[in-house]
Amino acid sequence: MASGATEGRAQELRSQIDEANYRYYVLDDPAITDAEFDALLRELIELERAHPELRTPDSPTQRVGAPPSERFAPYRHAKPMLSLANAFDDDELRAFDERVRKLAGASVSYVCELKIDGLAIAVDYRDGALERGGTRGDGSVGEEVTPNLRTIHTIPLKLREPVSFIEVRGEVYLRKSDFEKLNVKREREGLPVFANPRNAASGGVRQLDPKLTAQRRLSFFAYAIAEPPPEIATQSQALELLRTLGFRVNEHIRAAANIDDVITYCREWEARRDDLDYEIDGVVVKVDDLATQERLGAVARDPRWATAFKFKPREARTKLVDIQITVGRTGTLNPNAVLEPVQIGGVTVRNATLHNADYIESNDIRIGDTVLVTRAGDVIPRVVGPILSERTGKEKRFTMPDACPVCGSAVDHPEGEAMSRCTNAACPAQVVERVRHFASRGAMDIEGLGDVMAEQLTSLRLVRDLADIYALDASKLGSVPRMGEKSIMKLLAAIEDSKARGLARVLTGLGIRFVGEQTAAILARDLRTIDAVAEASFDVLQASEGIGPEVASSVRLFFDQPANLEMIDRLRASGVVLESTAQAPAGGGKLAGKTFVLTGTLPTLSRDEASALIEAQGGKVTGSVSKKTDYVVAGDAAGSKLTKAQDLGVAILDEEGLRALL
Ligand code: IVH
């Protein structure tokens, strides 16, 4: 039995972790560092392991791990989950408003909400604790998916205010950035990619194993209370109450006094939808006053008090003229669609991704087809599939070539993998990509060695592998067309400079599968020298934080190739530093003693990656801006933290500025 003190400590940890989660996931304003958070969670896990009787169902440790279920039980909605009628233009919005005003017998004000493109769910709380939740289904009966919903951090396990019973409704969605990462991972694992975040979210909620749901990193916006308590008179108040209870409510919701304000809001967000890290497909316009909502009622499944203004689709039909193959850094053969140029959402699209041969085959996409193409935000345009009614019979099926289109070597298509690969590690296409990656900003940062130069050096056979970069000299570079003496000197100086970047950057630059900046920084921090990394066993590698079997075996595979070891010897002989240059954080490091706050979305680094890079140099990353903050690193959609930094006169950096500092 746990002592009273232990029980008290468990309770304290639970509330500290709940608070930290709330600030991180709901307010987007973390107050403690990831490391501090991990320490609290670890302590609680240990306590609960030693004293299982302390493990409560609403403990933050219970977000993962419920056993898989065979199938879902039905979830009956006490009040039907309605759908919405659509309005496609201003006239239809005005017609909606006229109907509303006529029925209400007075003028009405509205609430405008972004229409999140995910899936609707309902969650019940009894005595303040999450009891059960389900999908919309047909509006009357959905599927009960409680263990899965418990893995979503923006769905509180416990409300922040005591409430005896409440049913909350909202949208589960997947952020665009998480969607991109998920698809990259699935592609690597040979699994089919998702066409859009909505499908991935919906599949995630309906996993039989909640652990798989947890991996998908879903999010939730609450937008309604099924039966609001009597003291709540308007939708705006209901949203405010949801916020108070600890839900994430979308921050762009706006009150509109009349239909002109509604139209302004719809136009504004149709133009700004790409600024968001989640997909929206329109605006939901709701009558604010709940008594008026009640009075207006519903026709069939559609309430008369709300409508969905639908944005213009970002899909178009065009002709698939050809499929061309490019060869990536790891030898993957990537099929790209060559399209008849078409306007989608204000952009001319000429190319789109087709992912891999399986995607082309399973969607039955043929050259000459009229195809549906979508462009969703910053996601690369993709071919969704053929319009079968437009087939003439002249379309041609696509087959992956047996030989690499660049070097002619054999192509391998391993069983169970989606990608085909060129088997020749010296394939010029692979070498160009590897050189480009090695010289890139996050790796060895060699200015002047960009796309064009990498291409020229490889095609002139001046560079056949990465070590050849350091064997370049003025006479060799003299043979590159249009290279003057000045540019030659500049490039050689940049190559020379890069030698001192240190182990983390070299490891990033080598382009080992699954070893990005963050993993490279961890390996460099823990193993210190390239020889130690090269000799580390599978188990030693896995002992490092965040390094799993997939990464460990990829690192082993790389260093088991004699050609790679020989190349590393040549890098060493040229004077490239192959040891970690970052001091242990306490001993200094370039950023020792400096405090950073990250806000917004950076163009290439995730929050975790940026933190790892800063911490590797001895810097500290905290959650909130104060006078003690040295730098705020701001990306897209940076919010109040940026304003605060400006007010306090704290130095503000963008990603490029951060990289320069590093
Ligand atoms: S209100 C009667 N608010 O859009 C009101 N729905 O057909 C019904 N959706 O499947 C829902 N964002 O999943 C509402 N802010 C929002 C929403 C929203 C997205 C979805 C919802 C539903 C569909 C409406």
Side-chain angles (χ1 to χ4, degrees):
M1 224 27 211
S3 70
T6 315
E7 193 176 341
R9 179 62 187 155
Q11 227 169 55
E12 185 181 16
L13 286 167
R14 276 199 295 269
S15 69
Q16 283 176 348
I17 294 168
D18 281 343
E19 184 64 24
N21 270 331
Y22 172 68
R23 300 218 23 172
Y24 185 92
Y25 290 105
V26 179
L27 302 183
D28 214 358
D29 181 26
I32 61 174
T33 64
D34 291 357
E36 286 163 339
F37 178 84
D38 289 342
L40 294 175
L41 189 62
R42 255 199 314 267
E43 189 184 341
L44 183 59
I45 291 171
E46 284 307 316
L47 263 184
E48 290 181 349
R49 196 174 288 154
H51 306 283
E53 72 277 11
L54 294 181
R55 195 174 290 151
T56 58
D58 62 5
S59 167
T61 59
Q62 300 304 299
R63 290 232 182 236
V64 278
S69 59
E70 293 292 310
R71 62 189 165 79
F72 300 114
Y75 177 100
R76 266 168 237 292
H77 298 287
K79 231 176 125 187
M81 272 180 104
L82 300 172
S83 57
L84 286 175
N86 294 319
F88 290 98
D89 54 32
D90 294 3
D91 289 347
E92 293 185 13
L93 279 173
R94 289 189 193 283
F96 160 76
D97 174 55
E98 257 163 49
R99 274 195 307 274
V100 167
R101 279 187 293 121
K102 209 162 131 201
L103 286 164
S107 71
V108 285
S109 55
Y110 298 101
V111 177
C112 299
E113 301 177 12
L114 298 180
K115 187 166 183 299
I116 315 294
D117 200 6
L119 79 152
I121 58 135
V123 248
D124 299 341
Y125 290 80
R126 193 171 298 279
D127 298 326
L130 191 159
E131 184 181 53
R132 45 174 224 135
T135 60
R136 173 164 178 267
D138 63 4
S140 313
V141 185
E143 289 166 314
E144 206 226 283
V145 287
T146 318
N148 295 349
L149 298 180
R150 299 179 81 89
T151 70
I152 301 175
H153 285 274
T154 27
I155 297 182
L157 298 176
K158 215 165 48 198
L159 301 178
R160 297 174 70 80
E161 302 274 330
V163 178
S164 61
F165 182 82
I166 191 170
E167 180 183 327
V168 173
R169 291 177 177 179
E171 198 83 353
V172 171
Y173 66 97
L174 183 64
R175 277 193 292 255
K176 290 182 203 165
S177 48
D178 287 328
F179 166 73
E180 292 286 319
K181 283 188 208 151
L182 176 69
N183 265 355
V184 167
K185 185 160 164 267
R186 288 179 69 88
E187 189 147 11
R188 277 200 314 237
E189 290 169 354
L191 296 168
V193 293
F194 290 108
N196 53 50
R198 181 180 6 99
N199 292 358
S202 149
V205 165
R206 298 177 41 251
Q207 288 292 335
L208 287 175
D209 181 355
K211 283 205 185 68
L212 298 176
T213 312
Q215 283 171 13
R216 225 163 263 188
R217 304 170 59 91
L218 300 171
S219 305
F220 179 71
F221 277 127
Y223 57 62
I225 303 177
E227 261 160 287
E231 68 272 18
I232 298 292
T234 62
Q235 166 69 1
S236 315
Q237 287 168 6
L239 295 170
E240 212 31 67
L241 175 62
L242 286 169
R243 264 196 197 109
T244 317
L245 294 178
F247 287 93
R248 183 159 190 153
V249 173
N250 190 275
E251 63 269 37
H252 302 298
I253 289 171
R254 195 186 297 161
N258 52 46
I259 200 67
D260 289 323
D261 288 357
V262 168
I263 291 170
T264 308
Y265 182 89
C266 293
R267 290 230 180 91
E268 178 183 333
W269 281 102
E270 180 152 28
R272 286 184 60 190
R273 63 195 290 197
D274 288 346
D275 295 353
L276 301 167
D277 193 23
Y278 44 87
E279 288 287 353
I280 56 172
D281 58 347
V283 168
V284 182
V285 185
K286 302 176 182 174
V287 168
D288 194 22
D289 184 63
L290 298 182
T292 311
Q293 285 190 5
E294 193 72 21
R295 199 136 42 85
L296 291 173
V299 205
R301 309 222 61 104
D302 299 340
R304 276 196 283 238
W305 48 266
T307 193
F309 174 77
K310 291 298 255 313
F311 295 155
K312 295 197 186 52
R314 290 188 299 182
E315 287 183 339
R317 291 167 167 219
T318 188
K319 191 144 192 161
L320 176 62
V321 179
D322 197 5
I323 296 179
Q324 283 180 352
I325 307 288
T326 55
V327 182
R329 173 160 56 86
T330 52
T332 51
L333 267 52
N334 307 313
N336 300 296
V338 180
L339 303 169
E340 226 159 61
V342 62
Q343 286 285 321
I344 309 180
V347 175
T348 309
V349 174
R350 295 189 166 79
N351 297 97
T353 179
L354 284 159
H355 301 291
N356 52 54
D358 289 355
Y359 184 85
I360 299 174
E361 201 180 305
S362 59
N363 289 290
D364 189 22
I365 298 165
R366 303 183 193 176
I367 297 169
D369 263 335
T370 299
V371 288
L372 190 65
V373 182
T374 65
R375 188 184 69 86
D378 43 6
V379 184
I380 314 163
R382 75 179 75 229
V383 175
V384 179
I387 316 274
L388 292 174
S389 56
E390 301 278 315
R391 280 239 163 111
T392 61
K394 289 196 192 126
E395 296 76 13
K396 278 191 294 197
R397 279 181 204 275
F398 168 79
T399 42
M400 261 299 169
D402 297 331
C404 170
V406 177
C407 72
S409 304
V411 166
D412 182 25
H413 186 162
E415 263 302 306
E417 268 201 38
M419 303 308 286
S420 304
R421 277 171 216 284
C422 166
T423 51
N424 171 19
C427 170
Q430 290 188 48
V431 178
V432 177
E433 284 305 314
R434 260 182 263 142
V435 169
R436 206 199 312 257
H437 173 76
F438 185 78
S440 68
R441 235 193 283 149
M444 299 300 267
D445 194 11
I446 305 178
E447 216 187 307
L449 184 38
D451 297 4
V452 178
M453 185 55 62
E455 185 86 52
Q456 286 178 314
L457 293 175
T458 353
S459 65
L460 292 168
R461 303 267 165 198
L462 293 172
V463 171
R464 292 191 179 81
D465 71 10
L466 299 176
D468 286 345
I469 296 172
Y470 296 96
L472 291 169
D473 57 24
S475 90
K476 285 185 185 161
L477 287 176
S479 64
V480 177
R482 289 180 299 280
M483 267 293 259
E485 197 172 328
K486 234 177 160 175
S487 349
I488 292 176
M489 287 308 152
K490 249 174 99 180
L491 179 56
L492 287 173
I495 292 173
E496 188 60 33
D497 273 357
S498 75
K499 290 181 181 173
R501 302 266 186 262
L503 181 58
R505 305 283 211 102
V506 174
L507 286 174
T508 306
L510 291 176
I512 304 169
R513 259 180 113 190
F514 309 139
V515 179
E517 284 177 55
Q518 195 184 357
T519 306
I522 291 168
L523 287 172
R525 182 194 67 193
D526 290 357
L527 296 167
R528 315 296 300 171
T529 70
I530 205 156
D531 294 334
V533 179
E535 285 157 19
S537 67
F538 188 71
D539 291 338
V540 168
L541 290 167
Q542 283 204 79
S544 278
E545 161 200 351
I547 297 195
E550 200 183 33
V551 182
S553 51
S554 167
V555 173
R556 279 280 21 107
L557 188 68
F558 183 89
F559 289 102
D560 284 341
Q561 315 278 324
N564 288 335
L565 296 178
E566 186 263 345
M567 178 185 77
I568 286 162
D569 282 341
R570 282 164 50 230
L571 286 174
R572 190 190 325 265
S574 315
V576 175
V577 175
L578 300 173
E579 283 98 50
S580 174
T581 49
Q583 281 93 10
K590 260 187 238 156
L591 305 180
K594 299 282 185 230
T595 305
F596 288 74
V597 172
L598 304 171
T599 176
T601 316
L602 300 176
T604 71
L605 291 173
S606 72
R607 206 178 265 259
D608 288 346
E609 284 164 345
S611 303
L613 292 171
I614 292 168
E615 282 161 8
Q617 296 285 353
K620 196 173 153 205
V621 180
T622 67
S624 49
V625 181
S626 73
K627 274 187 290 197
K628 290 195 207 127
T629 310
D630 294 291
Y631 299 98
V632 166
V633 184
D636 264 3
S640 59
K641 289 181 206 173
L642 180 59
T643 330
K644 190 154 176 206
Q646 285 160 340
D647 289 348
L648 294 173
V650 173
I652 295 161
L653 301 172
D654 57 5
E655 181 175 315
E656 205 163 322
L658 172 65
R659 286 188 185 278
L661 208 62
L662 289 163

